[in-house]
């Protein structure tokens, strides 16, 4: 820190645990649900594929400058993260009392649990919240939305430090998948959501892949 004091072994382990968890399990959950959504919505899958083909041409690798061009694919990914947030809830301990506009208060030291999953499906925040619609994340639709309506990486001082890296991972995974495969769901094995630390499927995610390239 600013006084030259280093991390203790316990502090160091906590940091390593955070990086391992934040860079592995959450991203795996995000990719899994994105592949599931691609299989469910073939028209959106095709739009993503056409965008990627237009960006990459005959190339089969993604370059850094390609990531910023994936406009529609990014909208699709964000809609997946809305309905299937990799971390469905977070908790915070209050460092000071808080009073809400209606007069209710919470004392210092209270632990509050925030359901990201519920916020993302709240009909008072999102119109037709269970309808999958990537256009929710077009620039004109995003501009009028509350900054805390969409929280796949949490928010505030304790938000996800790796969110930009994670988004890039998700873009690359989507791009290279739709470039090579056509995805469809397995109707006999629909996923059963389990809200643990990350959003899992109790019975896995079963898809059919048809090679196209």
């Amino acid at each position: 820190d600013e006084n030259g004091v280093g991390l203790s072994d316990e502090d160091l382990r906590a940091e390593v645990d955070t990086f391992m968890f934040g860079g592995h399990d959450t991203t795996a959950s995000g990719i899994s649900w994105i592949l599931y959504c691609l299989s469910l919505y073939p028209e959106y899958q095709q739009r993503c594929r056409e965008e990627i083909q237009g960006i990459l041409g005959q190339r089969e690798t993604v370059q850094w400058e390609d990531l910023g061009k994936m406009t529609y694919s990014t909208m699709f990914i964000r809609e997946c993260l809305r309905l299937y947030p990799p971390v469905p809830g977070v908790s915070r301990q209050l460092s000071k009392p808080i009073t809400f506009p209606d007069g209710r208060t919470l004392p210092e030291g209270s632990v509050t649990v925030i359901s990201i999953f519920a916020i993302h499906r709240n009909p008072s925040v999102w119109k037709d919240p269970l309808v999958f619609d990537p256009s929710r994340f077009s620039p004109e639709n995003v501009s009028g939305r509350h900054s805390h309506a969409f929280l796949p990486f949490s928010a505030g001082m304790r938000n996800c430090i790796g969110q930009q890296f994670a988004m890039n991972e998700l873009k690359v995974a989507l791009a290279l998948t739709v470039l090579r495969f056509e995805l469809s769901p397995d109707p006999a094995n629909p996923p059963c959501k389990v809200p643990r630390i990350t959003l899992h499927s109790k019975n896995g995610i079963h898809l059919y892949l048809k090679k196209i390239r």
Side-chain angles (χ1 to χ4, degrees):
D1 61 15
E2 61 272 13
N3 299 315
V5 178
L7 295 173
S8 68
D9 288 348
E10 184 178 0
D11 291 337
L12 185 59
R13 176 175 177 174
E15 294 293 338
V16 172
D17 286 348
T18 299
F19 277 107
M20 288 296 293
F21 166 75
H24 178 264
D25 201 35
T26 52
T27 308
S29 173
I31 291 174
S32 297
W33 292 109
I34 286 169
L35 297 180
Y36 176 64
C37 290
L38 285 169
S39 74
L40 282 184
Y41 306 103
E43 67 277 21
Y44 299 143
Q45 178 186 159
Q46 182 59 26
R47 285 193 63 175
C48 289
R49 181 176 295 110
E50 290 172 356
E51 178 179 71
I52 301 303
Q53 289 172 336
I55 294 170
L56 300 187
Q58 295 302 309
R59 288 189 286 120
E60 295 192 358
T61 58
V62 178
Q63 304 298 323
W64 179 259
E65 58 270 17
D66 297 330
L67 298 174
K69 301 175 185 177
M70 297 180 185
T71 305
Y72 186 81
S73 297
T74 300
M75 291 164 51
F76 180 89
I77 289 171
R78 288 176 176 161
E79 180 68 343
C80 296
L81 296 178
R82 182 184 70 84
L83 283 173
Y84 303 96
V87 179
V90 294
S91 62
R92 296 287 186 267
Q93 185 172 28
L94 299 184
S95 60
K96 60 182 179 181
I98 184 172
T99 301
F100 297 98
D102 63 3
R104 291 178 298 168
T105 63
L106 288 173
E108 177 183 344
S110 298
V111 175
T112 63
V113 178
I114 302 162
S115 175
I116 295 172
F117 187 91
I119 291 172
H120 286 182
R121 293 168 178 248
N122 187 339
S124 66
V125 178
W126 302 89
K127 182 180 178 181
D128 300 322
L130 299 184
V131 174
F132 188 93
D133 182 7
S135 70
R136 297 180 194 271
F137 293 94
S138 64
E140 59 271 20
N141 287 333
V142 169
S143 62
R145 187 173 298 139
H146 193 283
S147 61
H148 284 49
F150 180 60
L151 301 171
F153 301 104
S154 188
M157 294 177 62
R158 296 291 302 278
N159 68 357
C160 175
I161 193 173
Q163 59 184 286
Q164 295 301 324
F165 180 65
M167 278 298 295
N168 288 338
E169 287 185 288
L170 300 179
K171 289 181 186 181
V172 172
L174 178 147
L176 297 184
T177 300
V178 298
L179 200 62
R180 293 170 169 83
F181 299 100
E182 182 180 285
L183 294 82
S184 57
D186 179 359
N189 291 289
C192 179
K193 295 184 292 295
V194 180
R196 296 174 180 165
I197 296 177
T198 55
L199 187 65
H200 285 259
S201 170
K202 186 176 182 180
N203 58 325
I205 295 179
H206 299 263
L207 307 174
Y208 292 107
L209 275 72
K210 178 182 178 182
K211 189 173 181 180
I212 57 176
R213 181 168 172 177

